[in-house]
Each structure stands twice: as structure tokens, then as C-alpha cells.
Amino acid sequence: MCKHGGLNWLLTLQGLSCTPALSDSGNECINANAKYCGECIQAGAKCGWCKDPQGETVSTRCDEMESLIKRGCDKGMIENPRGEQRTLKNKAVTHRRKGADKLKPEDITQIQPQKLSLTLRSGEPQSFDLKFKRAEDYPIDLYYLMDLSYSMKDDLENVKNLGTSLMLEMSKITSDFKIGFGSFVEKTVMPYISTTPAKLLNPCTGDQNCTSPFSYKNVLRLTSDGKKFNTLVGQQHISGNLDSPEGGFDAIMQVAVCGEQIGWRNVTRLLVFSTDAGFHFAGDGKLGGIVLPNDGKCHLENNVYTMSHYYDYPSIAHLVQKLSDNNIQTIFAVTEEFQPVYQELKNLIPKSAVGTLSANSSNVINLIIDAYNSLSSEVILENSKLPEGLTIAYISRCKNGVVSEGENGRKCSNISIGDEVTFSISVTSKGCPKKGKSETIKIKPLGFTEEVEITLNFICECECHKDGVKNSPLCHFGNGTYECGACKCNEKRVGRQCECSSNDVATEDMDRTCRKDNGTDICSNNGDCVCGTCECKKRDNPEERYSGQYCECDNFNCDRSGNKLCGGHGRCECRVCVCDPMWTGSACDCSLDNSTCMASNKQICNGRGTCECGMCKCTDPKFQGPTCETCPTCPGVCIEHKECVQCRAFGTGEKKDKCEKDCSYFNLIKVKDRDKLPQPNDASYPLMHCKERDANDCWFYYTYAVNNNTEKEVHVVDTLDCPTGPDIIPIVAGVVAGIVLIGLALLLIWKLLMIIHDRREFAKFEKEKMNAKWDTGENPIYKSAVTTVVNPKYEGK
């Protein structure tokens, strides 16, 4: 076997010549065209580097392990470093029940492990399991942020007793609970509020006594004293503003970033946002002449937000970032009117919930409890920003054996206190990061302060890199570093031994070695001739590449089918499709799967055609269809042979007199019953089951087939299936009985109708009898002879 330029050359004995065999362009190690060991191991997890020069070109020394060993490289001379992982902190999750010894929040562990170190090799995933368990009696901080615009007047009355009531309810969940209170209205500039002196003192109309408008106040730092909450909240007064949307986003931002003033601990943090209106967001500040974006910093002086007139409202994305950074879970307690708005907002803010607030906030405690249970029953993992080229895959193993992957692999739902779930996390790097050799990422469950810190170290160089000799004389008078059996050239030097300058103009001799033959372009016009070696051009699409000693090959100029390269059923190697199993053709568009050609009788193309590329081509012109089973001009097979089968098997039928002459073209085999007839699955040739009826209405059953020896066979059941005559006596008895029953039914109906008619007539008679008058005492035709006339003018004088 000959070797030249990294390609295998097969020796042809007849002509004693070498012909090139195409390299595997699907091999990521060879395609990387690596010049030194570090570049090789970054090409893929399977790539190894042979430190033994072997007289080959540099590019052939980067290949898969098996290929290097087959080519004669000793296993001990192959650099193939592997990644590893170490657990630096692995404190077990806390198994603790309510009422047990009280622990500090920092002593409670819900996530395991806490710290890892991963050493990553390009393309090689490192996987580990992360365990999460909801601790019982875990401390909770709750901050109640309330809209104090005038429309919330009746709500404030109900919130004044919230402290002790909520303390009592939350004690059923945790023994360590703190509550705080803050209020907001609106930015203190026009057009959000009226800036007239009188309205600045009392923004309400009529006899209402309201406090001056403000943006946000931290009324009560987080405390475990519920009575203090009631006292301070009871001292609050309603304020007012002009427009309907409120400045709640300013308040949420300050609550999130002013941790020291609010008193947040490293425990479960809940923010209850209570309002009956919408919200302003980034950009709305321009109405008041405020154009500076919100800086996301704390600006509380004496517990009052002092920069509302200077900074715009925060954007939703800005709020999401700050709430996530500070592990705050938000509960929106809003009236039914604004439910749709805040539902949309909830979809944008992870670990948030929406509850329907009654008109006077009387249901706020139940709302908070329900929302907390909803939030705490779901765990969602998030990771910090990843270095370039790094990917993380999650697989969740939740309750009841539910396993999810992809985006759903980040979360588990319906988790109760004490439940334990596991996440399998896989970290993969592609290449090495540009900045340094070490990176740190963090993974944590949303809304929780605990996290896993992962230190990432990257394998960017081989072990033999440490033994490299800088400016080695082996590299053309010191123009490179000799490491791992090859020269790693200094800048602007190229060649196997760094013998050429990349600035040199290519000479005619160098060009000759870069041509496949005299009739072709230099490097096939797909690369540059550098120091007598073709360096192939890079494509804009990283998946497309040129390859080969003369850059004569590529992996994107193959035949297409259905607008897909190699029909989507193969890969393009040196402009020729290499098809997947069960596919063939220049574009891999011809399927070798015969299942689509299988007829209903389990024969390929019904035995009347050939299967080509998954489609039947019928050889008998009478037959057609996808499986050559349709014959529009053919008489039915069963009907065609019916008379002959009948005469030969039973001596009946129209052909019984000339049976021997016309019906001796098949072999007749009699069987006892239908179960003995051959079945399509039992035969290796077409087989037709037939059922026909003779002149006496008797059925007979047979099969017709042409066996592998082209002999026609008929298997027939030797007994006829004749219908039995009807049983006359039951039929006559049934008819007579039916007539009698129908007669009786008609008589009963007639009798019933007559009874109804008689009763109606009798009732009518009784009614007329009651209305009759018999004793008038006068002759109805008598008229008196006396006529009395009254003079209308007579006045009685």
C-alpha cells in the first residue's frame, strides 16, 4: 500500500501504479486538517494525535483511535486526553421535620452537590446528578407591597389586621416567618399627579383626607412581630393620582435591590404585589419628561424612593433579571378586571403567580397561601450565562417516575414538602474559550438562594505540549516549536517543517505540486497553494467544506432529491452520495425497502411485477396499481374457474358434460373442511380464496394458485354447504299467535275508547243538569196589557 499526501493509494498490480482512494469526508478528525496536537483534540471527542511522525503529513496524524492504530501508530504514542469531574462540596440534603431542633437558614440544605469541578474535552459531555429536596419548616420572608391610590381605600382597612392573621396561617407551614410592608402610588410629576400646591398636600377631592402622593415607601422592614405590622399599617393613609396605571414597577425594583433596607434573608423570599390597576413600564416616563433608563440600583433615603422623578420606570426584562438575581418569587394579588393583564405578565416572570383579589381584599390571606403552595410545588433550574461554545442538557426525574428532557427537563411539578427529585445534567464544550482556561457557571432552582457552583477547566492542549521545544532546529532553523512529534509554526510561517513564509509568492514548482494534473486549476480553484501544499478555502456555512489533497472534494455538491442533499438519506463525500442502509441511487432517493411493494397476499407486487425504489413496476400489462393487484379488464379469478371446479369436484354445473375436455388445466386436491385449505401466509406464491354458489344455492369453497413450478393448483372442500329448509310448524304457530294477539289488542283498544267516550258524555249530562232552571213561576210568553208612560218635562209640581 502506498501513502502520499495523507491519502491512501492502492497498488494496482497489473500496471504497478497507485490510484487514490477517497478519504472519509465525514470524519471530523480528518476534516479538521489539524496542524498540531492541541488543534486535533479540539476537533472532536473521538480524535487522537499520533506523536510518531511515521513519515506522513501532519494532517494524517489526527484521526480516530482505531484508524491510527490500524495505520501502525503504537497506542502509547497516541495523545487522547479525557475529561473528568471532581465533587468539591457535597453536603447531604437536610432531613428535618417541623418541631425539631431549630436550624439557621444557612445550615439547611435543599440541593446537592454544592460545588463541582469539571474538566472538559471538546465534544465530550460530562454528566452529573443534582438532587433537590424541599425542606420542611423552611424559613419564609414575605413583603406585602400595596397600592395606596384612592381606589384601594376599602382594601387598606382589611390589610390593617393582616399581620397577626397571616402569622397564624403561616405558622402551619413554617416556624420562622417574617413579614414586611411597603406602599406605592405614582411618580410625583405631571401628568401622573396634580402638582398644584393644594393637591400636593391632599390629592383627594371633597372632604376626603389623603396623604401627599409619593412613589414608594418602605413602611416596615421584615419582622417577626405581627402586631407591629398591624400598628404601622393602621397608621397609613390613602393617597391619589391622576391616571389609572400605577407606578408599581418602581416599587418592585426598589424592593428587589434594596435588600439591606428591606431585611431580606437567604431564605424563601415572597413579594406580594397588591393593586386594582395596571402598571407603567419603560418608556412611559417620557410623558413626564423623564428619559433616563432605570439604573436598577437602590435609591431609598429614610425608606422613601427619592429618584422617581429622575429615572424612568424599569422594563419587564429588567425586573425579571433583578427578581431572579435576588431569588424573589412574586405573587400578583389583583382584582378580576386586571387578571388577563397580570396573567400575561406572569408568563414573562419566572416563579410568579397571580391570584384574584376580592373587591375589598378580604380574601388576601387565602390568596397568599394558595399562591405560595403553587410556587413552592414547582422547581425550575436555571443556569448563569454560559461561555461561548458551551451547552447544557437537562433530564428531570420527578415524582411517580415522570422523566422529561429538553426544556421540560429543567423542571419538576407537584412537589410536596419532603419530596426528593433528581436532575441529570450534561455539560458539553465545543472547542476552547477565547478568554483563559477556566470559567465558572452556576445552576440554581428559581426562587431559591442555594446554587451549584461549577468550575470549568478546558483541555486545550495535549500532555506532550509541556515538553515542546521552542524555536527548535527541527522546525527549519527555529521557525517553530517542536511538540508532540510535529512543528507548531511561528506566526507567518507554514509548511510541514515551517520552511515557508506565508508572505512568499507561490513559485511555479510549488504550483505544480498543487495541481492534480496539468489540465486542472491550482488546488482545484478551491484553495490556496501554500508552500507546495493546498490549503482549502473555508465556506460561510461551517457545515460545508472542501477537502482532499488538491481540494478537489466537497460535501455539498452532490445530487439532490426533494431539494435535499442526497435526498436526506445519505451524506455527501467528495461530490458522491454515500447512502444510508436501505437506500441507493445517485441522490439516495431509491428505497430498497420492499414493504411498500407487498401485496395483500404477501407477495411482492402480487407476483406480477418487480419492486424498484419502493414502487411496483407491473410486468403483466393487464395488472396495475401500487401492488399490481388491480386488473380492470380481468374477470374475477374465482368466477373464471368456478364452473371447472364445480364439475370436477362435484360433477355438477354447466360444464359437467365437457368437464374432462375444458377443465383438466389444474391439479385438483380435495380437503375435508375449510380449515384445511392453504392460507396465504403458508404459501410462497400467490393464492386466492374463493367462495361460490351453485344452482341449488349451496356454497362451495376452494383456493386457486400457481405454484413455484408454474403448476395451477386448486384445493377444494369436498362437501357442499347447503342451507337447511325452514321449519314450517313454528312459523305457522307464530303467525296464528300473532294474529290472535293483534285481535285482542284491537279489542282492548276499542273497549278503552268506548269507556272514555261514555264517561265524557255522562259528565256532559251532569253539567247540563246542574245548570237547568225549572221553577220560574211565569209564562215565558205572557205580556202585560198596561203600558206606563212618563212625561219627561214633568217636575212633580
Side-chain angles (χ1 to χ4, degrees), residues 49-56 61 72-74 77-78 482 484-485:
W49 175 268
C50 183
K51 295 186 288 186
D52 184 1
Q54 299 185 60
E56 299 185 14
R61 294 167 61 185
C73 185
D74 187 74
M77 295 295 290
I78 298 176
Y482 189 79
C484 305

Side-chain angles (χ1 to χ4, degrees), residues 596-601 603-612 615-632 634 686 688:
T596 55
C597 297
M598 198 68 69
S600 59
N601 58 8
Q603 296 298 305
I604 294 177
C605 300
N606 195 28
R608 301 180 184 275
T610 57
C611 186
E612 297 181 10
M615 298 179 64
C616 283
K617 287 192 176 181
C618 303
T619 53
D620 189 333
K622 293 191 299 183
F623 289 85
Q624 59 188 35
T627 54
C628 301
E629 291 183 276
T630 306
C631 182
C634 297
M688 179 65 72

Side-chain angles (χ1 to χ4, degrees), residues 105-153:
E106 57 268 23
D107 294 331
I108 300 174
T109 304
Q110 298 184 105
I111 193 169
Q112 179 187 3
Q114 295 80 39
K115 195 169 184 180
L116 292 169
S117 174
L118 302 181
T119 302
L120 300 176
R121 160 87 184 270
S122 178
E124 180 189 24
Q126 290 294 325
S127 301
F128 64 94
D129 286 342
L130 185 150
K131 187 186 298 182
F132 176 85
K133 180 178 181 180
R134 272 190 67 190
E136 189 168 350
D137 198 25
Y138 194 70
I140 298 174
D141 286 351
L142 185 146
Y143 191 85
Y144 196 90
L145 182 60
M146 185 174 181
D147 176 7
L148 285 190
S149 58
Y150 187 76
S151 58
M152 295 286 284
K153 181 180 179 180

Side-chain angles (χ1 to χ4, degrees), residues 551-611:
C551 303
E552 74 277 15
C553 295
D554 63 58
N555 67 343
F556 54 88
N557 271 325
C558 289
D559 289 343
R560 293 176 178 266
S561 177
N563 203 29
K564 292 183 179 179
L565 193 67
C566 298
H569 302 299
R571 63 184 185 277
C572 182
E573 295 186 2
C574 203
R575 303 186 180 184
V576 176
C577 285
V578 177
C579 300
D580 294 339
M582 300 302 293
W583 290 91
T584 186
S586 62
C588 300
D589 54 353
C590 181
S591 173
L592 298 177
D593 184 5
N594 290 336
S595 61
T596 55
C597 297
M598 198 68 69
S600 59
N601 58 8
K602 306 300 180 182
Q603 296 298 305
I604 294 177
C605 300
N606 195 28
R608 301 180 184 275
T610 57
C611 186

Side-chain angles (χ1 to χ4, degrees), residues 9-23:
W9 292 68
L10 302 177
L11 186 62
T12 305
L13 296 178
Q14 291 85 344
L16 296 177
S17 62
C18 288
T19 58
L22 297 176
S23 63

Side-chain angles (χ1 to χ4, degrees), residues 28 64 322 344 370 373 408 465 471 504 585 613 712 723:
E28 60 182 353
E64 295 180 0
K322 292 300 180 181
E344 291 297 324
D370 292 342
N373 290 332
N408 290 330
H465 166 74
N471 302 320
D504 291 343
C613 299
K712 297 175 182 178

Side-chain angles (χ1 to χ4, degrees), residues 172-317:
K172 300 175 183 178
I173 299 174
T174 176
S175 60
D176 188 357
F177 176 68
K178 288 190 174 185
I179 188 171
F181 184 83
S183 58
F184 67 91
V185 181
E186 187 55 277
K187 288 186 180 295
T188 54
V189 296
M190 281 289 287
Y192 312 110
I193 66 166
S194 175
T195 55
T196 61
K199 290 294 184 181
L200 286 176
L201 291 175
N202 183 4
C204 300
T205 58
D207 300 333
Q208 301 295 332
N209 184 22
C210 298
T211 189
S212 300
F214 57 92
S215 177
Y216 162 66
K217 288 181 182 178
N218 176 29
V219 177
L220 175 63
R221 177 185 169 92
L222 288 164
T223 177
S224 56
D225 188 350
K227 294 180 179 178
K228 185 177 181 181
F229 179 95
N230 293 350
T231 301
L232 286 176
V233 174
Q235 298 171 2
Q236 302 305 303
H237 296 284
I238 291 296
S239 185
N241 61 320
L242 295 179
D243 62 342
S244 175
E246 315 293 3
F249 276 16
D250 274 342
I252 293 176
M253 177 61 75
Q254 293 304 301
V255 172
V257 299
C258 298
E260 185 176 348
Q261 290 89 332
I262 303 297
W264 291 119
R265 300 176 293 167
N266 284 329
V267 297
T268 298
R269 299 174 176 179
L270 300 178
L271 170 61
V272 180
F273 181 84
S274 175
T275 184
D276 64 349
F279 48 82
H280 285 296
F281 52 89
D284 288 355
K286 292 180 181 180
L287 296 173
I290 303 172
V291 295
L292 280 179
N294 195 287
D295 64 351
K297 295 180 180 178
C298 182
H299 296 289
L300 291 185
E301 293 184 13
N302 296 322
N303 287 321
V304 177
Y305 179 40
T306 59
M307 301 297 283
S308 68
H309 64 286
Y310 191 75
Y311 289 116
D312 192 5
Y313 302 98
S315 66
I316 295 175

